[in-house]
Amino acid sequence: MEHTKERLVIKEKFEEMHKSIKQSFDELSRNNTSPKVKKELDNTVEEIKNNLSVNIELLNEILDVKATDEYLYNHSLNVAVVSNLIGRWIGLEQKDLDILILAGLVHDIGKLRIDPAILNKPGKLTDEEFTEMKKHPEYSYQMLMEMGYKDNAILKAVTFHHEKEDGSGYPLKISGDKITIHAKILAIADIFDAMTSNRVYKARVSPFKVLEMFQNQNFGKLDYSIIMTFVRKFTEYYVGSEVILSNNKKAKIVSLNTFELTKPLLVTTEGEFI
């Protein structure tokens, strides 16, 4: 029962933080970029920093199915948490982790200045709509400046989180070392959460399938060394965990092959290896 109790505690913390983010974002959507909103966001950063320890229950909460109409709030919280995890796993210092948590939390606030009809459109965006959508990192930058955030590392992480290693990203089409480490991590956390969440225009994808897609560079050029650390550390937490098979039988994950994540070795309750 310990796992269940731990999961409930994490769920409650996520709900509290979700409520706080929603409140802050509602203010921002009304163009209120006052110091009060900045303080609320900074408090949420402290909550994430001090109250969430890394375990399988935390990962399961990140991957839990959430309401699609509150995607922006859930996504912002998840990206902050996942970015923090990746930063820890690659050995960054606490000051860098603090940057990642805040940048993850606010990386998409610019979307609050985009027409909801474009933001929540269930079909494919037109070229004009996609051009507008691609402005959200710049809008986020402007809003952070208005709120009084001066730290260049945070501003760059937020502005560059859609840039790619080969220069094919946006808004500045920069490449390689010109993209900061924080932005590289944010890009991975952003895509991972977007792909594993239900959206108005597409169903969620299995996290192991997404990790496999990262390895195959299906999302364009991202930092491969960070991806491999993320894949290895994330999957470690799932060895020994219970899964339900397509025939409704229970089984445990015995091992995961880093290069064939969607084909784990399982053992059923009857002792049969699959």
Side-chain angles (χ1 to χ4, degrees):
M1 290 299 286
E2 195 55 44
H3 266 335
T4 313
K5 199 164 74 178
E6 196 172 7
R7 182 66 195 278
L8 286 172
V9 170
I10 288 171
K11 193 174 264 307
E12 276 173 23
K13 283 176 184 169
F14 261 70
E15 281 168 5
E16 281 167 25
M17 289 187 285
H18 177 277
K19 204 178 288 181
S20 174
I21 292 165
K22 187 177 187 306
Q23 197 173 309
S24 302
F25 281 25
D26 285 349
E27 290 293 329
L28 290 172
S29 68
R30 292 192 284 271
N31 279 330
N32 177 5
T33 50
S34 69
K36 178 177 170 284
V37 180
K38 181 179 183 291
K39 190 164 184 272
E40 284 170 4
L41 288 167
D42 290 342
N43 287 342
T44 307
V45 170
E46 287 302 308
E47 283 289 315
I48 294 169
K49 179 177 159 182
N50 299 321
N51 291 318
L52 295 178
S53 53
V54 193
N55 54 36
I56 193 160
E57 302 301 338
L58 176 65
L59 300 182
N60 285 336
E61 179 58 33
I62 292 165
L63 295 168
D64 197 21
V65 181
K66 308 286 199 312
T68 52
D69 62 339
E70 300 208 321
Y71 173 73
L72 187 57
Y73 318 122
N74 295 320
H75 177 64
S76 301
L77 177 54
N78 284 355
V79 171
V81 174
V82 175
S83 297
N84 181 35
L85 294 183
I86 296 172
R88 284 197 211 184
W89 289 338
I90 67 169
L92 294 186
E93 293 178 12
Q94 188 59 55
K95 65 180 176 60
D96 292 302
L97 300 180
D98 293 352
I99 289 163
L100 284 171
I101 295 170
L102 178 59
L105 208 55
V106 298
H107 76 288
D108 268 352
I109 56 171
K111 286 184 176 176
L112 297 167
R113 290 192 176 172
I114 287 175
D115 183 346
I118 296 174
L119 204 57
N120 304 313
K121 186 177 177 179
K124 193 176 186 296
L125 297 179
T126 65
D127 288 347
E128 292 80 10
E129 288 167 341
F130 190 50
T131 299
E132 176 61 16
M133 182 68 95
K134 286 199 292 187
K135 289 179 184 171
H136 78 268
E138 296 161 80
Y139 294 153
S140 296
Y141 172 87
Q142 289 164 12
M143 290 166 80
L144 288 172
M145 291 293 282
E146 286 166 23
M147 273 189 278
Y149 286 107
K150 300 283 197 307
D151 189 330
N152 250 336
I154 291 162
L155 296 170
K156 283 181 178 178
V158 170
T159 310
F160 299 166
H161 78 274
H162 280 292
E163 301 290 357
K164 296 285 170 68
E165 293 289 313
D166 60 356
S168 63
Y170 63 87
L172 302 176
K173 296 196 175 298
I174 56 174
S175 60
D177 291 342
K178 292 190 182 76
I179 308 167
T180 63
I181 185 80
H182 309 107
K184 291 177 188 222
I185 291 169
L186 218 56
I188 294 166
D190 180 39
I191 294 169
F192 179 75
D193 186 65
M195 292 299 294
T196 55
S197 302
N198 281 323
R199 312 286 294 275
V200 286
Y201 52 84
K202 70 158 192 69
R204 71 205 300 258
V205 179
S206 149
F208 295 104
K209 182 66 185 165
V210 176
L211 294 175
E212 211 167 61
M213 290 163 83
F214 272 130
Q215 290 173 315
N216 298 332
Q217 292 286 15
N218 286 26
F219 305 111
K221 204 90 171 78
L222 298 164
D223 190 300
Y224 205 65
S225 64
I226 299 175
I227 282 172
M228 289 313 292
T229 301
F230 178 43
V231 169
R232 184 171 50 80
K233 296 297 287 184
F234 186 93
T235 52
E236 273 175 17
Y237 283 90
Y238 280 88
V239 174
S241 65
E242 209 171 66
V243 292
I244 307 290
L245 305 177
S246 52
N247 61 5
N248 283 329
K249 283 190 174 181
K250 286 182 180 176
K252 263 191 179 171
I253 298 176
V254 176
S255 68
L256 283 149
N257 179 344
T258 313
F259 295 97
E260 273 197 310
L261 291 171
T262 50
K263 296 176 181 174
L265 176 63
L266 308 172
V267 61
T268 65
T269 46
E270 291 86 27
E272 181 194 353
F273 283 91
I274 305 170

